[in-house]
Amino acid sequence: MTESDVAYGAKSKYTEVKARAYANRDARRNIPELRLVARAFQLIPKPARVLDVPCGGGRVTVLLGQLGYEMSAGDYSDPMRQITRETTAANGLKVEIFKEDIEQLSQRDQSFDAIVCFRFFHHLPNAELRRKVVGELCRVARRHVAMSYFNPRTLRALEQEIRKLRGRKLTVFNTSLAEVSAYFAEYGFRLVKNFRLDLINNLHLAVFERAPR
């Protein structure tokens, strides 16, 4: 089994039971993260067609739909897509939902005004995969990409490194803003603004835009 195969445990682990457990976690845990997404999207003007990929249980899709964006969603996991269908329908939203492999999106070039990719990038263990994923996001986005990542210069990241030194296997991979920005620059995107969840957590959300030629 290669390192890429291990990384994509995130791709295949969401069975029906695990997907439901993830989607039904304590809603209070979602509040700070959804506020973070809402803050970032203040930089992305409406009207806009937005693709949420991978969409998980659809919480970001619902949030942005309620904020007035025209939403579509995609995920590799069949149970996650079904949960998103249920979640969006329960909130009165009509959302087109696709089966998507984020390494090779099925969407046309620049077919969405913006893409949001939330709580996924930290699963990628090496530069090759990270560059490939960023390339696909940039290919499909006409103007903006909002993508979260785990920043290594945080207290939470330090805790993870200490656990690693004690022999625990890490299942998340921290990446600096400089590294993330460099991948986007390769595809003609520049950083607009970086947002952090709080002073402790390593979850950050960066907004990038297509640079003018």
Side-chain angles (χ1 to χ4, degrees), residues 1-15 18 53-54 75-77 100-105 117 119-134 136-137 169-173:
M1 182 175 288
T2 68
E3 188 174 38
S4 295
D5 293 330
V6 173
Y8 275 87
K11 204 175 194 181
S12 59
K13 75 177 183 179
Y14 287 110
T15 61
K18 290 184 177 180
V53 62
D75 205 287
Y76 190 78
S77 164
E100 292 291 355
D101 181 343
I102 199 167
E103 290 185 68
Q104 191 172 6
L105 295 172
C117 179
R119 291 194 66 92
F120 170 78
F121 197 69
H122 59 276
H123 290 297
L124 304 175
N126 58 60
E128 180 182 0
L129 278 171
R130 294 169 192 153
R131 183 177 291 109
K132 186 174 186 180
V133 166
V134 169
E136 280 298 278
L137 299 178
K169 183 179 179 180
L170 284 183
T171 57
V172 300
F173 302 89

Side-chain angles (χ1 to χ4, degrees), residues 51-65:
L51 175 65
D52 177 12
V53 62
C55 60
R59 60 183 180 142
V60 171
T61 303
V62 168
L63 169 71
L64 295 179

Side-chain angles (χ1 to χ4, degrees), residues 39 149 151 177 191-196 204-207:
R39 285 170 55 207
Y149 66 100
N151 192 302
L177 179 58
L191 177 68
V192 179
K193 189 171 182 178
N194 182 64
F195 299 84
R196 63 185 178 187
H204 284 218
L205 178 60
V207 176

Side-chain angles (χ1 to χ4, degrees), residues 89-163:
N91 284 274
L93 298 173
K94 293 183 178 180
V95 175
E96 192 168 11
I97 300 172
F98 308 98
K99 181 162 188 175
E100 292 291 355
D101 181 343
I102 199 167
E103 290 185 68
Q104 191 172 6
L105 295 172
S106 67
Q107 310 301 318
R108 301 187 313 277
D109 293 0
Q110 298 189 38
S111 53
F112 287 87
D113 298 304
I115 293 181
V116 58
C117 179
F118 194 66
R119 291 194 66 92
F120 170 78
F121 197 69
H122 59 276
H123 290 297
L124 304 175
N126 58 60
E128 180 182 0
L129 278 171
R130 294 169 192 153
R131 183 177 291 109
K132 186 174 186 180
V133 166
V134 169
E136 280 298 278
L137 299 178
C138 292
R139 179 183 65 78
V140 174
R142 184 182 67 83
R143 186 173 179 186
H144 289 102
V145 176
M147 191 187 79
S148 72
Y149 66 100
F150 281 10
N151 192 302
R153 299 177 66 86
T154 58
L155 289 175
R156 183 59 51 80
L158 178 60
E159 291 174 358
Q160 291 169 346
E161 287 302 314
I162 291 172
R163 291 200 298 270

